[in-house]
Amino acid sequence: MLAKTMAEYLNEQLNLELYSANLYLQTSAYCRYKGFDGAAAFLKIHSQEEMKHMQRLFDYLSNTGALAFIGLIKEPPVKFNSLENVFKYTYAHEQEITEKINNLANIALNTKDFLTFNFLQWYIAEQNEEEKLFKSVVDKFTLVGDSGSSLFLVDKDLQSMASNLQHHTIE
Ligand SMILES: [Fe+2]
Ligand SMILES: [Fe+2]
């Protein structure tokens, strides 16, 4: 049985993962609207990844006798100044999530909740991957600049990254 406070913290994280899923879906809509179909595909697939993060927490809470609850999820931002800004925003978001996960692991350790500490290891590794992924996209903009043809290239690149991720997901 999970301690009540730990269940509350994990519920908070569950709701944050739902927010993340919405954020990526919303940014996908923005990109599609602006004609960046590659970025849109990439972000939409990522939204599905975030739903899996949510599910994992949902199952952990249920399997440890706690009650998972879905709260009110705040609205993600709808408008961005540029495609580059979308990815700067999502990269910063991933960094924030990493901080949250690290905090949770720290609490688990300090309260000797080793089961939860062990459960969180997956998220620690996953956040490392996600930060790397989003940083690599932000770096692309720095490399190629923000001319129309550069953005076209980055979008094409994101399309092939999306195809690879899709392939990975199916496996
Ligand atoms: Fe996540
Ligand atoms: Fe994420």
Side-chain angles (χ1 to χ4, degrees):
M1 188 82 181
L2 272 189
K4 197 169 169 284
T5 46
M6 184 50 87
E8 280 167 12
Y9 289 135
L10 292 176
N11 251 309
E12 234 172 77
Q13 189 62 37
L14 180 154
N15 282 278
L16 263 176
E17 299 295 343
L18 266 180
Y19 171 76
S20 299
N22 287 349
L23 171 66
Y24 287 112
L25 205 54
Q26 185 65 68
T27 48
S28 171
Y30 170 83
C31 291
R32 186 77 202 272
Y33 182 69
K34 292 287 180 183
F36 297 115
D37 290 2
F42 176 85
L43 292 162
K44 192 172 165 207
I45 288 175
H46 204 76
S47 173
Q48 292 163 12
E49 286 295 308
E50 299 297 346
M51 284 305 278
K52 286 188 210 155
H53 298 174
M54 185 281 289
Q55 289 285 356
R56 215 173 241 268
L57 277 153
F58 182 89
D59 290 341
Y60 182 72
L61 283 163
S62 303
N63 293 337
T64 49
L67 174 68
F69 65 87
I70 312 299
L72 190 65
I73 315 291
K74 72 171 176 172
E75 268 176 55
V78 179
K79 285 185 179 154
F80 294 86
N81 293 329
S82 65
L83 185 64
E84 182 177 5
N85 260 319
V86 169
F87 284 93
K88 279 188 170 164
Y89 190 92
T90 52
Y91 178 45
H93 175 72
E94 288 303 335
Q95 288 174 306
E96 268 175 45
I97 296 293
T98 300
E99 233 183 277
K100 299 270 184 200
I101 297 287
N102 288 345
N103 246 330
L104 283 175
N106 193 34
I107 294 167
L109 202 56
N110 286 335
T111 56
K112 299 197 184 336
D113 181 348
F114 300 116
L115 189 67
T116 301
F117 183 70
N118 182 52
F119 166 74
L120 290 168
Q121 299 310 303
W122 183 88
Y123 285 87
I124 291 172
E126 180 72 4
Q127 279 311 118
N128 182 41
E129 288 304 312
E130 299 219 333
E131 274 200 32
K132 262 199 299 190
L133 181 66
F134 281 90
K135 183 174 187 302
S136 78
V137 179
V138 170
D139 287 347
K140 285 181 206 296
F141 290 99
T142 316
L143 272 171
V144 301
D146 59 2
S147 71
S149 53
S150 303
L151 292 180
F152 180 77
L153 285 177
V154 173
D155 191 54
K156 271 230 164 316
D157 211 26
L158 285 166
Q159 182 74 67
S160 66
M161 285 168 84
S163 307
N164 287 339
L165 285 171
Q166 185 90 64
H167 187 63
H168 187 71
T169 310
I170 289 166
E171 282 174 347

